[in-house]
Amino acid sequence: MYVERASRLLPGAVVWTNTPSRPGVGRVLPDGCMDLLWHDGRLMVAGPDTRAYLPGGATGPWAGVRFYPGTAPALLGVPAYELRDRRVELAELWPASRVRRLADRVNAAPDPASGLEDLAVRQAAGAEPPDPLLRQVVTALDAGRSVAATADELGLGARQLHRRSLSAFGYGPKTLARILRLRRALALARAGVPFAQTAARAGYADQAHLARDVRELSGLPLGELLGGGG
């Protein structure tokens, strides 16, 4: 079962736990975020996805801290594009001896989720604060503004916005906008809004455009995705 709550880390961050009912269940859709993960006593990082991630055969409980889009690279010390569509051990990014000490601390916590959140909060305290411009990028694109309009509003050139997006989000602003649009559409459809209205309100050209995007990003038709086919 999947459960999440707001984190005290940063606005928009989430702490979550999940115990899959069987191996391989639980399709993870792109969301523009990166996660710090705990599983079976190990610490890992999930990079930003450009397509649905299908878990392998790992069983047992998971815990994670999901960072607001664009905030994880400063805390982890690695640009997001290096982790795009990847799950890696934290020891690949930080010294192994340090990661072992951190894992021991998380494993000794009352529960892994709170231990993981404490780790993230301590790391954030020693890192540079997130660039407020990155949150403005997310806000503008999630409101449906075009990449060009977003760049103009923020006083950035197209190339500068693309370069900063690669480091912060793992991909360019057009891909981020597409992923955020998918999240808006799924929220509307799950609330019972008819697919045609969902497409129009989320910013798609039409229902067929929505259907193509959902299949390309999730790997499933919209109806099957909403029915739990993942």
Side-chain angles (χ1 to χ4, degrees), residues 1-5 14-18:
M1 181 176 67
Y2 177 86
V3 178
E4 69 175 43
R5 62 171 173 81
V14 168
V15 177
W16 58 267
T17 58
N18 187 31

Side-chain angles (χ1 to χ4, degrees), residues 18 24-30 49 51-55 87 183 190 214-215 217-221 224-225 228-230:
N18 187 31
V25 72
R27 182 177 302 260
V28 181
L29 301 182
D49 293 321
R51 56 187 180 275
Y53 172 74
L54 303 178
R87 268 68 177 161
R183 307 299 296 189
R190 285 171 176 147
V214 169
R215 184 182 284 276
L217 291 172
S218 76
L220 291 174
E224 188 175 343
L225 182 64

Side-chain angles (χ1 to χ4, degrees), residues 34-169:
M34 295 172 60
D35 293 59
L36 180 63
L37 306 172
W38 173 94
H39 176 67
D40 196 24
R42 297 155 44 221
L43 300 179
M44 294 164 280
V45 175
D49 293 321
T50 59
R51 56 187 180 275
Y53 172 74
L54 303 178
T59 58
W62 289 77
V65 174
R66 180 170 302 118
F67 300 96
Y68 186 82
T71 60
L75 273 65
L76 297 174
V78 60
Y81 62 78
E82 292 189 7
L83 300 176
R84 184 173 53 234
D85 292 320
R86 298 177 62 202
R87 268 68 177 161
V88 303
E89 299 284 341
L90 185 59
E92 293 187 30
L93 309 180
W94 295 354
S97 58
R98 181 189 179 200
V99 173
R100 283 194 296 270
R101 291 194 301 271
L102 294 173
D104 288 344
R105 191 177 297 172
V106 172
N107 292 330
D111 63 90
S114 63
L116 203 62
E117 183 180 28
D118 288 343
L119 187 166
V121 169
R122 287 194 301 271
Q123 182 67 15
E128 291 292 325
D131 183 351
L133 181 141
L134 299 174
R135 188 174 287 267
Q136 291 175 277
V137 171
V138 176
T139 299
L141 295 177
D142 198 28
R145 287 197 274 283
S146 69
V147 172
T150 298
D152 287 344
E153 286 178 20
L154 300 179
L156 298 175
R159 290 184 179 179
Q160 188 180 14
L161 176 59
H162 187 81
R163 183 171 60 251
R164 294 180 72 162
S165 295
L166 283 178
S167 294
F169 309 117

